[in-house]
Each structure stands twice: as C-alpha cells, then as structure tokens.
Amino acid sequence: MLTSEVFTSLQENSRTFFLPIMRLDGELRETVALYYLANRAVDEIEDHPELAPEAKVELLQGVSRLLQQEAFTRADTDRLFAPYRDRLAPVTTRFYDWAVALPGREIAPRLWDALAALADRMADWVRADFRVRDASDLDRYTFAVSCSIGITLSDLWTWHCGIVTSKQGAVAFGRAVQAANIAWNRADDLARGIDFFPDGWTTDDMCRYVRRHLPAAQAYTASVPAGPVHAFCATTIDICTATLAALQGGTRVDRATITAIAERYAVPQ
C-alpha cells in the first residue's frame, strides 16, 4: 500500500506516470511507484539547471557506486549530497527512501542494477553536453533514459504476475513515450540550454519518430492480458498519442485530459 508521502511525491513529480501507476495493484503498485521516484531522483540531477556538469557527473557516478555496494546507508547518501543539498530537488534528496524501500528481496537487486546503469549513462550524456546530432544519437539517448526502464518494467510484470512481454516491444514503448515527452518539453529544455532534437529536426520530425515506434509500442500493450498491468501500459500509450495529437494540433494535454484517459482503463482494486 502506498504511503501518503509516496502518493504525494508521485503527484508532484509526474505528469505522465502518476495515473498509470495508480492503475496497478498491491505490491506491484508500490514497487513501480518507488522505482519511478528513484529514477526521477536521478533524472533531476541530470536536468538540474544550476549544477555544473562536473557536479552532475560526481553525483550521478556517486549514486551508481552506492547502488553497486552490498549495502548503503542514509549517511552515505547524505555525504554524497551534502555539498549540493540546498540546490537539489526534494525527490533527489530522498533517493535513499525510494531505493531502499523497494519491496521484494528477489527483485530489488534487478532494480538497483537498472538504476545504477541509468545514473552512469546519464553521466555520459552530461559529459557529452547532451549533444544529439542525428537519429542514432536520439536512439541512444531514448534507450538510456526510457527504453531501459521499459525493459525493467517487463521484468517486473513477469516477477509479479507471470506476464511475459517482448523486450523489443518494451524498447519501442520507451522510445515512443520519451520522444513524445521530449517534443512536449522542448521549450523548457531550450530555456535551460539543452536541445534533444537532432540537428535540423523540427517538431514534425520528432512526431514522425514517435509514430515510427508507436505500432510496436501498441502491439506490446495489446499483448498484455486485461488487468492492472494492461491498464498501466494502455493509459501510458494513450497519453503518448494524445500528446502527439496535441503537438500537431496546437492543443493542450492538461490534467483533466490525462484523468479522462486513465478512466478508460479503471480496474477494480
């Protein structure tokens, strides 16, 4: 069962995934919620508008090293974050709470491995100054920050309820969702000096990239039996397609729109 703190943190930190996560049930909901917040904690380091690149690399590599230890403590994360604590987002300073509270002794190491790899890949992108020159670079970036999470979620579906899904489909799912979010957030990214669009690409080009991966992402979703996991996947993909339509039609995808999408897949809890 989600604590009120986790519930509130999810609401504060996710436009896309809060309602899909709430479609899950029991231990799986708690696990995905905490895994999401741990990922978001790392992502907020990568995206931080004030930290120097050297500081970001130090923090990201530090997080990865802690996750690879046999055990780490709150004191370890406090020492790592101490020089920058007053500038870090609350979701980041609580990284220990999210990572250590992950339920399931058998699956937690799989999630720590995924989080460590994410932090290291993000450090690499910080060193590269987030330079996305072409579609191959975009493929690498979306794999680093989203497709790998999709693969991990597929492992969670198998762990919790025996659902086996295509890993290639999980990659397409991640690419479509991440690219739609990149297009949606471009103005904010440009304002902080970051551009995830390949050289010469327009919003239409990024939307074509999303559409190229959508069929495989939708097939991945369709392969999941009816129930909470299907509701999670279907809600996420429908938010993605609504975002795509809004980008091309000049409309907005607000909280009410996302709530209406999520209601399509309401399942008994």
Side-chain angles (χ1 to χ4, degrees):
M1 183 175 181
L2 294 185
T3 67
S4 59
E5 287 181 305
V6 172
F7 183 90
T8 300
S9 293
L10 276 176
Q11 282 186 309
E12 292 174 347
N13 287 282
S14 178
R15 164 189 172 269
T16 302
F17 288 105
F18 170 72
L19 289 173
I21 288 171
M22 297 309 295
R23 290 288 170 255
L24 299 173
D25 60 347
E27 187 178 27
L28 183 61
R29 179 196 289 174
E30 182 184 4
T31 302
V32 174
L34 290 165
Y35 176 57
Y36 173 83
L37 288 170
N39 276 287
R40 189 57 185 262
V42 175
D43 186 59
E44 286 288 334
I45 297 172
E46 180 205 41
D47 288 344
H48 202 291
E50 298 175 9
L51 290 177
E54 297 79 10
K56 292 182 180 183
V57 170
E58 174 191 346
L59 290 168
L60 290 166
Q61 289 186 327
V63 165
S64 178
R65 291 191 189 102
L66 290 178
L67 288 162
Q68 294 175 65
Q69 293 176 191
E70 183 173 354
F72 67 98
T73 67
R74 188 183 302 278
D76 292 325
T77 56
D78 286 347
R79 276 193 297 272
L80 175 64
F81 295 150
Y84 314 101
R85 178 170 288 276
D86 60 339
R87 286 178 282 171
L88 295 176
V91 70
T92 300
T93 59
R94 296 200 60 191
F95 177 79
Y96 177 86
D97 295 324
W98 318 136
V100 173
L102 284 165
R105 292 180 62 85
E106 293 305 313
I107 198 65
R110 171 69 181 90
L111 305 183
W112 296 332
D113 173 68
L115 288 164
L118 176 71
D120 282 333
R121 288 168 177 154
M122 285 185 171
D124 288 342
W125 277 101
V126 171
R127 290 194 197 91
D129 198 27
F130 303 101
R131 188 73 175 88
V132 177
R133 294 179 174 82
D134 53 29
S136 294
D137 283 344
L138 181 60
D139 284 345
R140 290 192 304 108
Y141 182 75
T142 54
F143 187 91
V145 301
S146 186
C147 302
S148 57
I149 295 173
I151 293 169
T152 304
L153 289 175
S154 284
D155 289 341
L156 282 175
W157 311 151
T158 304
W159 161 73
H160 184 264
C161 42
I163 295 173
V164 178
T165 50
S166 162
K167 297 299 194 293
Q168 290 287 352
V171 169
F173 190 100
R175 289 205 201 286
V177 171
Q178 184 65 29
N181 283 337
I182 286 173
W184 186 261
N185 294 321
R186 193 184 192 195
D188 291 339
D189 289 333
L190 290 174
R192 61 189 182 92
I194 301 294
D195 188 1
F196 293 111
F197 278 43
D199 294 345
W201 276 34
T202 65
T203 297
D204 285 343
D205 293 314
M206 189 63 79
C207 288
R208 277 191 286 273
Y209 182 90
V210 176
R211 285 197 300 272
R212 186 161 76 249
H213 295 288
L214 262 178
Q218 290 166 331
Y220 172 89
T221 299
S223 75
V224 178
V229 174
H230 183 271
F232 172 94
C233 296
T235 301
T236 303
I237 284 298
D238 281 9
I239 292 170
C240 175
T241 57
T243 300
L244 186 64
L247 286 164
Q248 297 178 307
T251 58
R252 297 289 297 173
V253 179
D254 55 17
R255 177 64 69 177
T257 303
I258 293 174
T259 299
I261 290 171
E263 287 303 317
R264 300 172 190 166
Y265 304 104
V267 293
Q269 298 293 327

